[in-house]
């Protein structure tokens, strides 16, 4: 019984913010003491998919850039995390990977802007994706470096001793 109550509570905590966001996107008028919006409208959603506004194309471009950064960061982070996990100075390398999160956002942003201006990447899709990749790549390496533990290393050595080729070990 206690477990069921916990599941319902956690489910509610996950779903209620989404319901709130949907209500906010549909609310035309929502004054403070009211628990629910007094007026609802779907005009914002109609504008999103209207051909007159370029908002739909912007949303698709943003989704494409986000998915692209996620795929590239995960692929590069997976390969790099193996090298970091097996490096003798693993602790120092992981500390260096935390730098994008530890440095002041203003300093990092100005530095990236200066660099991208010099490389003529400012204001381009590639520049935006590279700026996001700075954080996503570091996070991916930090997150995935825990995957390469002793059990995975032992399984890889076992597969090689049983006749698997290095390519098979890497792919499987």
């Amino acid at each position: 019984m206690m477990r069921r109550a916990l599941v319902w509570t956690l489910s509610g905590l996950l779903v209620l913010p989404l319901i709130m966001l949907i209500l906010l996107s549909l609310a035309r008028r929502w004054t403070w003491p009211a628990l629910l919006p007094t007026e609802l409208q779907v005009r914002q959603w109609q504008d999103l998919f209207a051909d007159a506004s370029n908002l739909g194309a912007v949303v698709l471009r943003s989704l494409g850039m986000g998915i692209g950064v996620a795929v590239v960061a995960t692929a590069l982070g997976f390969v790099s995390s193996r090298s970091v996990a097996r490096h003798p100075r693993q602790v120092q390398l992981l500390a260096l990977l935390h730098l994008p999160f530890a440095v002041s956002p203003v300093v990092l942003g100005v530095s990236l802007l200066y660099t991208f201006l010099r490389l003529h990447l400012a204001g381009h899709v590639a520049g935006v994706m590279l700026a996001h990749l700075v954080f996503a790549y570091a996070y991916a390496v930090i997150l995935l470096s825990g995957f390469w533990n002793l059990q995975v290393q032992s399984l890889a050595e076992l597969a090689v001793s049983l006749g698997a080729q290095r390519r098979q070990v890497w792919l499987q």
Side-chain angles (χ1 to χ4, degrees):
M1 185 67 175
M2 182 72 156
R3 186 176 181 158
R4 181 174 285 174
L6 182 65
V7 168
W8 278 104
T9 303
L10 289 177
S11 299
L13 289 174
L14 291 173
V15 172
L16 283 176
L18 295 175
I19 293 171
M20 181 71 168
L21 285 174
I22 292 170
L23 274 175
L24 280 171
S25 73
L26 294 173
R28 178 175 181 187
R29 199 165 159 218
W30 195 346
T31 55
W32 175 69
L35 188 58
L36 295 173
T38 54
E39 296 179 40
L40 297 175
Q41 69 178 6
V42 293
R43 182 170 179 204
Q44 295 93 330
W45 286 92
Q46 290 171 341
D47 289 344
L48 177 64
F49 297 109
D51 287 338
S53 71
N54 211 10
L55 198 54
V58 171
V59 168
L60 288 176
R61 184 181 309 145
S62 178
L63 282 173
M65 287 191 304
I67 291 170
V69 168
V71 167
V72 170
T74 304
L76 292 176
F78 188 73
V79 174
S80 299
S81 66
R82 181 174 183 230
S83 299
V84 168
R86 294 187 177 169
H87 198 275
R89 296 184 183 230
Q90 175 189 10
V91 175
Q92 289 87 357
L93 289 175
L94 286 175
L96 282 175
L97 285 166
H98 283 87
L99 273 179
F101 307 108
V103 174
S104 168
V106 174
V107 172
L108 186 61
V110 169
S111 301
L112 284 174
L113 178 62
Y114 177 75
T115 304
F116 288 174
L117 284 171
R118 300 277 296 188
L119 296 173
H120 303 291
L121 288 173
H124 295 289
V125 172
V128 173
M129 290 179 74
L130 281 173
H132 283 92
L133 196 60
V134 169
F135 295 98
Y137 171 72
Y139 184 75
V141 174
I142 292 166
L143 181 71
L144 295 171
S145 63
F147 172 75
W148 303 103
N149 55 23
L150 290 175
Q151 182 182 6
V152 172
Q153 187 175 356
S154 298
L155 284 173
E157 290 172 0
L158 177 65
V160 169
S161 70
L162 291 174
Q165 298 173 351
R166 291 284 179 190
R167 182 174 168 266
Q168 291 173 318
V169 170
W170 178 254
L171 291 175
Q172 298 296 324

